[in-house]
Amino acid sequence: MNVLSTRNLHKNYGRITAVNQLKLEVPEGTVFGLLGPNGSGKTTTLGMILGVTTPTSGDFLWFGEAASHKQRKQVGSILEKPNFYPHFSAYKNLTLACKIKEVSTDRIDEVLEQVGLAERKDDSFQTFSLGMKQRLAIGSALLAHPKVLILDEPTNGLDPEGIAEIRELIIDIAATGKTIILASHLLDEVQKVCTDFAVLRKGNLLHTGKVDTEFSDEAIIEVKAEDSAKLLELVTKFPAYLSHENIKDGYALRCEPDTDAASLNRFLAESELYANHIMPVKKTLEQQFLDILNQNHA
């Protein structure tokens, strides 16, 4: 089941096209990353699906139905910087959030525990670090027990420790079964926390895919031998083998992380096949991302 489907979603600001005929499917239970540089249309897209911004044309469905107040109550979101009363405690700020959301205060302690702020619940918001403020904002979004959580650049401006804390929190929340839609311009962030992703550039959808198959730390080893048929038969039996692609006079093997060319060479030699070319080819995440952009370059 898809929790969100956009159908030719389009937004113009005068002559500027912010989002262009967007067709997107977000499966239930995924951590879905909207990846793209600033100005790619990520925030505008989130604004439209949350009812903050009106589309120029097109529409979208939540849980297979047209957007409504009932549907939006199942979606928690953070689109801007955390905004709470500075002199109020974390607990009191969440109490006010409950009144605004028209939900019970029963879950406040549970939510504060979930976001790692239980011990600071009586401290004023103004004493919090930026990372703690962001965690409190995520806690506020979770008060109504939403099925979907939407986060726009959740680690923006945080120090490395704060970034790590937010990433761990996102992973923990996803483990409870919630669907998370996360907008980011950071490839590393999407690779570390997301299961699925879409690439936007200048309002256009370039690509969608699975993170674990398209952004991976797996080893790639090129191997060639005179007897290419026997080579293919053997490499598919190599313990670290995952898949392969044909290259000129040989194969590019996708293997488990940290597999080295020497272990493959030994494996082949034990079967009396000697490679005349064997070389590791390591693509960085950035190179993998650029490959996607180049494949979709118009």
Side-chain angles (χ1 to χ4, degrees):
M1 172 185 172
N2 292 319
V3 299
L4 173 68
S5 302
T6 69
R7 304 185 296 189
N8 295 320
L9 198 60
H10 193 88
K11 181 64 179 179
N12 289 335
Y13 291 104
R15 295 181 179 178
I16 298 172
T17 299
V19 176
N20 185 28
Q21 305 293 327
L22 181 63
K23 296 178 182 178
L24 202 60
E25 306 284 350
V26 178
E28 184 178 17
T30 57
V31 182
F32 195 97
L34 281 179
L35 178 62
N38 293 331
S40 60
K42 303 186 303 294
T43 298
T44 301
T45 298
L46 297 185
M48 286 190 286
I49 64 176
L50 287 169
V52 176
T53 303
T54 304
T56 302
S57 61
D59 62 1
F60 56 93
L61 303 175
W62 279 115
F63 313 103
E65 299 178 9
S68 64
H69 179 66
K70 176 187 174 184
Q71 300 288 8
R72 290 194 185 100
K73 288 183 75 172
Q74 300 182 71
V75 180
S77 65
I78 306 173
L79 283 188
E80 299 176 352
K81 289 182 179 179
N83 188 19
F84 294 98
Y85 287 100
H87 299 290
F88 286 4
S89 69
Y91 191 94
K92 190 169 183 179
N93 268 303
L94 291 190
T95 301
L96 291 174
C98 286
K99 290 181 179 179
I100 293 169
K101 297 172 185 288
E102 298 179 340
V103 297
S104 169
T105 58
D106 293 348
R107 293 193 68 244
I108 292 180
D109 284 324
E110 177 188 345
V111 162
L112 285 169
E113 185 72 39
Q114 187 174 6
V115 299
L117 293 174
E119 294 182 359
R120 298 291 302 271
K121 72 176 187 177
D122 295 321
D123 295 341
S124 63
F125 180 73
Q126 64 185 354
T127 67
F128 285 5
S129 67
L130 184 56
M132 293 168 65
K133 290 175 179 178
Q134 188 72 328
R135 282 188 276 142
L136 186 63
I138 292 173
S140 177
L142 292 171
L143 285 169
H145 226 319
K147 292 182 179 179
V148 181
L149 182 63
I150 294 179
L151 305 172
D152 188 14
E153 303 280 2
T155 61
N156 236 8
L158 300 186
D159 59 22
E161 183 179 3
I163 290 171
E165 288 174 349
I166 294 298
R167 286 176 175 170
E168 283 301 313
L169 178 56
I170 291 170
I171 292 168
D172 289 345
I173 292 169
T176 67
K178 294 190 189 301
T179 303
I180 298 175
I181 301 173
L182 182 155
S184 179
H185 66 280
L186 302 174
L187 173 59
D188 186 54
E189 182 165 69
V190 169
Q191 191 261 344
K192 285 182 176 176
V193 303
C194 296
T195 58
D196 300 65
F197 74 102
V199 180
L200 298 181
R201 183 172 60 188
K202 296 181 180 179
N204 294 296
L205 176 64
L206 296 187
H207 185 83
T208 60
K210 293 280 186 183
V211 169
D212 60 358
T213 57
E214 302 202 39
F215 297 144
S216 73
D217 295 321
E218 293 158 355
I220 299 174
I221 302 173
E222 287 185 357
V223 59
K224 301 177 183 180
E226 288 187 10
D227 190 341
S228 60
K230 185 176 181 181
L231 175 63
L232 178 59
E233 178 187 347
L234 288 175
V235 297
T236 57
K237 297 175 182 177
F238 181 50
Y241 170 87
L242 296 174
S243 66
H244 72 274
E245 291 182 5
N246 294 339
I247 59 174
K248 186 178 180 181
D249 301 323
Y251 307 97
L253 308 186
R254 191 168 63 88
C255 301
E256 293 175 359
D258 301 321
T259 304
D260 58 21
S263 63
L264 174 62
N265 202 26
R266 285 194 300 271
F267 175 81
L268 295 174
E270 287 169 0
S271 298
E272 300 184 347
L273 180 74
Y274 300 95
N276 54 32
H277 170 87
I278 186 164
M279 182 178 71
V281 181
K282 180 65 178 176
K283 284 190 177 183
T284 64
L285 291 176
E286 286 77 13
Q287 287 172 326
Q288 294 175 57
F289 181 53
L290 288 173
D291 284 347
I292 289 172
L293 294 181
N294 290 334
Q295 289 167 10
N296 292 274
H297 183 68

